[in-house]
């Protein structure tokens, strides 16, 4: 995000006012009060996720923007641009964020999407996906999809093959 903003601002790095791309789902309208808060929050100065900003008050909007920047960068570094929510919470605890990650995920549904499929909560970086498809395809993702396709093909094939038992007398019987 910083590189993109620096290209727009022609290399000036002081007090960057970077706003996160917000993609709310259709029909998801914010109340006027919340929309005003989000607009003001977006105008706050951007603190790089690589800087130490633990000196900020944990409940301040500036600290929340830094936490969102850390989460955004972390998800952006992943090949699939998504991970299980428990992985993020554990990583946040390890880094000393505590409950800040959970608060950022709840407060910013336009930046992060939390999916609840098959009893697994997954956090997805919204800007990385268009509908269900990853925008920037990574070569490893293509390999992963081919592997999954191959495994599904093998499962279907193995279901159609029935095991044969060979008796003591050498006769073959198909097990049903």
């Amino acid at each position: 995000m910083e590189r993109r903003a620096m290209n727009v601002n022609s290399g000036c790095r002081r007090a960057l006012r970077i706003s996160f791309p917000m993609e709310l789902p259709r029909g998801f309208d914010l109340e006027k009060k919340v929309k005003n808060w989000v607009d003001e929050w977006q105008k706050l100065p951007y603190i790089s996720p690589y800087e130490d900003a633990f000196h900020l008050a944990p409940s301040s909007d500036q600290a929340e923007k830094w936490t969102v920047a850390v989460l955004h960068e972390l998800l952006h570094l992943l090949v699939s641009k998504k991970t299980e929510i428990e992985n993020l919470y554990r990583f946040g605890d390890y880094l000393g964020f505590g409950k800040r990650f959970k608060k950022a995920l709840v407060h910013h549904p336009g930046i992060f999407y939390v999916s609840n499929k098959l009893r697994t909560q997954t956090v997805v970086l919204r800007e990385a996906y268009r509908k269900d498809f990853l925008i920037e395809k990574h070569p490893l993702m293509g390999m992963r999809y081919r592997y999954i396709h191959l495994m599904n093909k093998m499962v279907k094939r193995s279901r159609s093959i029935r095991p044969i038992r060979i008796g003591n007398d050498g006769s073959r019987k198909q097990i049903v």
Side-chain angles (χ1 to χ4, degrees):
M1 282 187 59
E2 288 177 81
R3 272 190 238 136
R4 236 183 306 158
M6 285 179 66
N7 288 339
V8 171
N9 295 336
S10 65
C12 180
R13 190 174 170 161
R14 288 193 196 130
L16 287 175
R17 304 250 187 244
I18 298 175
S19 60
F20 292 95
M22 298 278 284
E23 298 175 22
L24 294 169
R26 260 186 287 147
F28 190 92
D29 295 326
L30 297 175
E31 293 179 12
K32 188 174 183 177
K33 182 179 175 183
V34 175
K35 186 165 177 33
N36 290 339
W37 176 82
V38 169
D39 291 340
E40 290 300 315
W41 181 83
Q42 290 278 29
K43 291 176 186 174
L44 291 172
Y46 179 80
I47 298 177
S48 172
Y50 298 101
E51 293 179 25
D52 183 11
F54 280 109
H55 63 278
L56 297 170
S59 60
S60 70
D61 288 343
Q62 187 71 32
E64 187 170 340
K65 187 157 185 175
W66 177 62
T67 303
V68 168
V70 171
L71 270 172
H72 184 278
E73 187 68 16
L74 180 64
L75 287 170
H76 191 73
L77 288 173
L78 297 173
V79 172
S80 63
K81 311 297 187 225
K82 62 183 174 181
T83 188
E84 289 183 21
I85 201 165
E86 284 302 316
N87 294 342
L88 280 181
Y89 290 161
R90 287 187 187 119
F91 194 68
D93 288 341
Y94 176 76
L95 292 176
F97 281 91
K99 303 282 183 199
R100 290 185 190 187
F101 275 10
K102 187 177 283 189
K103 180 180 174 186
L105 292 174
V106 170
H107 283 191
H108 301 284
I111 301 170
F112 310 108
Y113 172 69
V114 180
S115 169
N116 290 314
K117 286 188 179 177
L118 302 173
R119 290 180 271 148
T120 303
Q121 287 189 317
T122 305
V123 179
V124 180
L125 186 60
R126 276 192 187 270
E127 73 179 53
Y129 284 83
R130 187 87 58 235
K131 294 190 179 177
D132 289 340
F133 301 103
L134 195 59
I135 294 171
E136 292 180 25
K137 302 264 192 245
H138 193 279
L140 288 176
M141 287 303 290
M143 290 171 55
R144 179 178 183 267
Y145 291 138
R146 285 193 298 267
Y147 175 76
I148 290 170
H149 176 71
L150 178 66
M151 290 291 104
N152 288 335
K153 200 174 192 179
M154 292 302 294
V155 168
K156 289 176 187 173
R157 178 185 253 175
S158 67
R159 286 182 186 161
S160 64
I161 299 172
R162 295 194 176 147
I164 297 174
R165 183 172 47 171
I166 300 175
N168 292 338
D169 58 353
S171 64
R172 295 179 177 208
K173 294 181 182 177
Q174 192 166 13
I175 300 173
V176 180

